[in-house]
Amino acid sequence: MSKSLRLSEKWFRRGLWLVALVFASFLIGLGGTIVGDLPKVESRLELDAFLERPQAQQLRAQLLAEQAAADAAQAALEQAQLQRDKARSEVQSQRESFTNWLAARSVTQRAEHDPEVLARTRALDALQAAELVQRRAVQAQQQAALDARQSAVQTEKQIAQMEDAARTLMYAELRRVELRVFLYRLALTLPLLLVAGWLFVKKRQSTYWPFVWGFIFFALFGFFVELVPYLPSYGGYVRYVVGIGVTALVGRYAILALNRYLERQKMAEALPDQERRKELSYDVALARLAKNVCPGCERPVDLKDGKTDFCPHCGIGLFDHCGACSTRKSAFAKFCHACGSSAKAERGV
Ligand SMILES: [Zn+2]
Ligand SMILES: [Zn+2]
């Protein structure tokens, strides 16, 4: 870019590059704010929205009722177990005391027909019958608790199945939302990239080039950096494919430019010395001489040995002699450095 040797112009150019960067950073800030606000377009997804509402509500109510029933059955079972334990210990203590009493009196009397023995035996039977009733009550409660628990488990399974199906639907919808958000962003950033490409080809050397380059930086940043956090799993493909495309275009452009340059250079080297000199701008020639390269063919030449008057590669005149004072001077200088006479006047151009 910097072909000038004038000091102020150099600094102006650097300042303009700064303008390009600052312009790009503000554009990036603005673009980032807009892109960041985009996801609010989509509402949050909830699992319930994908369930069959009435059926799910009914199942959930059923589950609650079954859980309550299981709790109640468990409480009743504990009560029944307590009652059974009481009856059992009653029977045991009565049986022991009856056995002891029998043992004490059987030595002297026959037991079979004694009315007192019969009465005590009947009382013990009644106690045992009461214990049996309590045992049955416990078993009934155990059955009820088990039934309630099992049907609750069954209902839970049904609900889990429904939720699994709903989750599958929700993930599919999530992927669709993700794709939509990504496409919004792509629709925003891809045209910017295309505009940037057009600006690069057509306008990069216009008077307003700092803004053109600022915009190009912004578009590249927007597409290759800002888009990244919003990429779905396959978004990488889009990014890399576009990246490959852009690189291929820029590369092709550079190769064609190189070929054009070489072609031009070849044609220029075929022209006579005076013609070639006219085509070279003064500043370009000075810049190349300062780098010890031939201003005509850009190959390295030794300018300091005091003898080389012509480029050994392309034959362009590098040094000549002043028409007024015959001092050896640069052939590209506009005035003789020794006597100040104009080189043009002397050459008659
Ligand atoms: Zn040369
Ligand atoms: Zn002179």
Side-chain angles (χ1 to χ4, degrees):
M1 274 279 139
S2 182
K3 282 174 186 161
S4 169
L5 285 182
R6 289 193 180 99
L7 198 61
S8 310
E9 196 180 337
K10 249 186 195 169
W11 280 103
F12 267 122
R13 281 195 172 275
R14 284 175 195 166
L16 287 175
W17 274 112
L18 194 65
V19 169
L21 289 179
V22 171
F23 186 60
S25 75
F26 281 123
L27 280 179
I28 287 167
L30 180 65
T33 313
I34 293 170
V35 168
D37 280 340
L38 274 183
K40 288 161 197 164
V41 177
E42 300 290 338
S43 58
R44 270 183 56 80
L45 295 176
E46 280 179 12
L47 187 61
D48 269 22
F50 297 91
L51 285 172
E52 277 176 52
R53 278 282 174 78
Q55 204 186 337
Q57 273 167 356
Q58 189 207 326
L59 275 176
R60 278 175 186 162
Q62 191 184 326
L63 178 64
L64 279 181
E66 280 162 355
Q67 280 166 343
D71 286 347
Q74 186 62 34
L77 173 63
E78 281 161 18
Q79 287 291 340
Q81 278 168 338
L82 192 65
Q83 296 302 325
R84 180 201 59 194
D85 291 348
K86 268 194 216 162
R88 187 184 285 160
S89 63
E90 186 83 359
V91 168
Q92 250 163 13
S93 66
Q94 284 301 324
R95 188 181 290 139
E96 270 169 33
S97 93
F98 182 51
T99 316
N100 292 343
W101 178 75
L102 267 185
R105 65 185 298 280
S106 63
V107 188
T108 49
Q109 294 168 18
R110 286 169 57 92
E112 288 83 33
H113 304 294
D114 189 320
E116 204 180 345
V117 173
L118 286 178
R120 290 194 74 151
T121 308
R122 267 199 295 276
L124 195 57
D125 283 347
L127 276 176
Q128 271 172 337
E131 193 207 339
L132 188 64
V133 167
Q134 292 297 341
R135 260 209 317 263
R136 287 207 179 117
V138 166
Q139 278 161 356
Q141 281 308 326
Q142 276 172 336
Q143 184 69 54
L146 185 67
D147 285 350
R149 268 203 307 277
Q150 280 178 346
S151 62
V153 167
Q154 206 56 39
T155 310
E156 268 173 357
K157 259 188 208 159
Q158 275 180 314
I159 290 176
Q161 272 171 4
M162 282 189 73
E163 282 181 349
D164 277 350
R167 208 163 283 128
T168 314
L169 286 177
M170 186 175 80
Y171 287 147
E173 180 62 25
L174 268 179
R175 275 195 295 278
R176 274 196 291 279
V177 167
E178 211 178 39
L179 176 65
R180 214 151 46 220
V181 170
F182 171 65
L183 287 180
Y184 289 156
R185 293 189 168 96
L186 200 62
L188 210 69
T189 50
L190 199 58
L192 289 181
L193 203 61
L194 294 178
V195 171
W198 180 82
L199 285 173
F200 175 77
V201 174
K202 300 279 178 196
K203 298 282 177 190
R204 73 178 187 280
Q205 279 168 346
S206 75
T207 316
Y208 298 105
W209 64 265
F211 298 110
V212 171
W213 280 100
F215 187 85
I216 291 173
F217 292 150
F218 157 64
L220 288 174
F221 186 84
F223 191 84
F224 290 103
V225 180
E226 296 249 289
L227 206 56
V228 174
Y230 307 104
L231 287 179
S233 50
Y234 47 82
Y237 291 110
V238 177
R239 193 159 70 109
Y240 290 127
V241 166
V242 171
I244 290 167
V246 168
T247 314
L249 278 179
V250 171
R252 181 175 167 272
Y253 192 84
I255 290 167
L256 289 182
L258 173 67
N259 285 342
R260 270 202 306 276
Y261 163 77
L262 289 178
E263 199 65 32
R264 244 193 349 258
Q265 207 58 26
K266 216 181 272 176
M267 302 236 303
E269 282 173 26
L271 289 174
D273 200 81
Q274 286 300 320
E275 286 289 314
R276 296 177 63 190
R277 218 170 276 280
K278 255 188 264 172
E279 303 230 320
L280 283 169
S281 104
Y282 182 62
D283 280 333
V284 170
L286 287 196
R288 288 178 185 169
L289 285 173
K291 286 175 195 153
N292 274 326
V293 296
C294 164
C297 67
E298 294 186 56
R299 295 189 183 95
V301 274
D302 188 359
L303 297 169
K304 300 221 164 68
D305 65 354
K307 290 186 294 242
T308 310
D309 284 348
F310 295 93
C311 170
H313 312 294
C314 70
I316 199 170
L318 299 171
F319 289 93
D320 55 12
H321 295 271
C322 171
C325 69
S326 291
T327 308
R328 184 174 181 268
K329 65 168 189 60
S330 169
F332 293 91
K334 285 180 179 168
F335 297 94
C336 168
H337 67 267
C339 70
S341 51
S342 166
K344 273 185 188 170
E346 149 227 326
R347 220 185 276 143
V349 182

